[in-house]
Amino acid sequence: MPLLEVKNITKQYEKDKKVLSGISFDVNGGEFISIIGPSGAGKSTLLRCINRMVDFSSGEILFHNTDIMSLSKKDLRKYRTQIGMIFQHYNLVSRLTVIENVLHGRLGYKTTLQGIMTRFTEEEKKEAFHLLEKLGMREHAYKRCDHLSGGQKQRVGIARALIQQPKILLCDEPIASLDPNSSKVIMDHLKNISQELRITCIVNLHQVDVAKHYSERIIGLNGGQIVYDGAPQELTTTNIHQIYGSEAENLILA
Amino acid sequence: MKIDVYRKKKRQFTIFALIVLCMTFISAKLTNFSFVQGISSVPEAFRWMGSNLLITRESFEKMPSILDKLIETIFLSITATTTASIIALLLALLGSQTTKVNGFFSTLSRFIASVFRNIPIVAWALILLLSFGQNALTGYFALFLATLGFLTRVFTETIDETSNSSVEALQSTGANYYQVVSKAVLPECSPQMISWILFMVETNIRSSTLVGILTGTGIGFAFDLYYKSMNYNVVSLITLSIVVVVISIELISNYIRRVIL
Ligand SMILES: Nc1ncnc2c1ncn2[C@@H]1O[C@H](COP(=O)(O)OP(=O)(O)OP(=O)(O)O)[C@@H](O)[C@H]1O
Ligand SMILES: [Mg+2]
């Protein structure tokens, strides 16, 4: 049984303009999927439908066979703890320290009061340091996040998502604001996460070569529709043509 | 090479300058304000000030009572500002696009903010005077309402500008509304909000002098009293002490700003 089943979802922000139309695919545990497609194709929207930061207009998404649109407010919180999210602009609380930001990933498990009073258990704190250690950020634990480099910020973002103990990691262009070296570090970490921890990664990417190199499966979006869904090895020039339109092809493959 | 954008900007500037000049001229005409007369009366005004506004030894005897009134005024301004800022924070949370609960409260909050902000503080004082009479409460409410309008507006903007992305991140971890507000919105926005509160304390100390004249409380009352009894020496001592207080408050708040930002 698949972990996540996306069935025929559509999304329109405004009337008669479908941003997503008829999207269907299944996701298994531990898969590493890249979603590629031109700007405005609906990649970010699709990711946000999965954790219901955006409510889709029709269709259904099943997680462990539960329809996520039917979740109560409380169950939605519980559901979101299962889904980590990583952002292009890191989305950290920049005035707080690294360790505080990492522990934010536990808020979904806390009561309102525990959260506001920052009551975290010893284990949670240990886990936070352990994750920072693994991501090579241990020494920066007490630094304010606005004093970090982009690559370091993204690693804090990953730690915050991992401490949720998620089943799925949604990554919205995690390397779009990073230089090639930091990009490689981040992508390697994501790859490790999916292989060692068997956490499913769904990654929006703009670089076809990166997508081909890291993922087990590529989904190509164009105009809100899936135009490719398959192994990276089988992605042909014709497919790339379909995904990005004709002019872009030379640029991408050059 | 001629760059069109520059030429266009120059033309816009010329037109703008002409309009301002015309408006100044027309307004002066309509209000019978004569520039020549205005400027020629300046030296005479200064001569009067020089001879009447000297701070004399006798006026210093009034210092204790002036200080008393001054302290009353300062505390009134601070209380009005802090209480208004708490309500303003709640309204701003409801009004901001990032943290709104629903469309209705968001619109309501923006409406309240704009009404309170756009009624001048003197008008508030005069309106409230009718219902509360001449006492400190009237002054308090006048300052409170005007501050509430202003702070709600700037708090809403601060929340919208600074905390969008971290709010999204925390919501996606499963954090609930109160957790998001306390762990993302407040840490991101508090330095700027405190800065605005300090600004309002400064402003309110200045305005409370004026409000005090109307409501018969605080330093404004003292000012009015000596002004009407034509004891101009004391009036200038009061003015001087207000200036000293405002400047010190400004220095203190600049220091606080530097530390928190
Ligand atoms: N909140 C919103 N309200 C209205 N329209 C929106 C909203 N968010 C996105 N859209 C529209 O939906 C379409 C898809 O946007 P989306 O951000 O999902 O694209 P994307 O594939 O992630 O693009 P990019 O690669 O530039 O990030 C765009 O046309 C955009 O204008
Ligand atoms: Mg996007």
Side-chain angles (χ1 to χ4, degrees), chain A residues 13-14 17 19 38-45 173 206:
Chain A
Y13 289 102
E14 290 137 33
K17 199 189 146 220
V19 173
S39 262
K43 304 182 296 294
S44 303
T45 306
E173 298 183 23
H206 266 304

Side-chain angles (χ1 to χ4, degrees), chain A residues 128-251:
Chain A
F129 280 108
H130 173 70
L131 286 170
L132 286 175
E133 181 87 57
K134 260 179 57 177
L135 293 161
M137 290 290 295
R138 176 64 227 254
E139 57 190 311
H140 303 295
Y142 296 108
K143 268 195 194 156
R144 256 171 63 159
C145 285
D146 46 7
H147 296 161
L148 300 176
S149 72
Q152 293 172 332
K153 283 181 190 167
Q154 195 57 294
R155 282 183 272 167
V156 178
I158 293 177
R160 176 175 66 188
L162 284 183
I163 206 168
Q164 288 176 232
Q165 298 180 316
K167 299 280 186 301
I168 302 178
L169 221 49
L170 305 173
C171 314
D172 193 4
E173 298 183 23
I175 56 169
S177 314
L178 299 178
D179 68 49
N181 285 330
S182 324
S183 295
K184 186 172 179 324
V185 172
I186 296 297
M187 288 309 294
D188 287 343
H189 278 305
L190 292 179
K191 187 80 191 168
N192 274 339
I193 289 162
S194 93
Q195 281 175 345
E196 281 173 28
L197 307 172
R198 304 299 301 156
I199 295 174
T200 303
C201 290
I202 306 179
V203 189
N204 280 357
L205 282 173
H206 266 304
Q207 303 89 333
V208 179
D209 51 335
V210 177
K212 277 184 147 180
H213 183 258
Y214 283 96
S215 41
E216 298 158 0
R217 178 177 164 196
I218 291 181
I219 293 178
L221 272 191
N222 184 311
Q225 286 176 314
I226 294 186
V227 293
Y228 182 84
D229 184 352
Q233 303 84 336
E234 287 154 24
L235 187 75
T236 60
T237 358
T238 330
N239 295 137
I240 293 179
H241 204 111
Q242 281 177 326
I243 298 170
Y244 286 98
S246 42
E247 296 88 26
E249 178 190 323
N250 298 330
L251 272 176

Side-chain angles (χ1 to χ4, degrees), chain B residues 179-194:
Chain B
Q179 293 170 339
V180 169
V181 168
S182 77
K183 292 289 168 264
V185 178
L186 294 184
E188 292 284 38
C189 302
S190 54
Q192 224 165 321
M193 287 179 174
I194 291 171

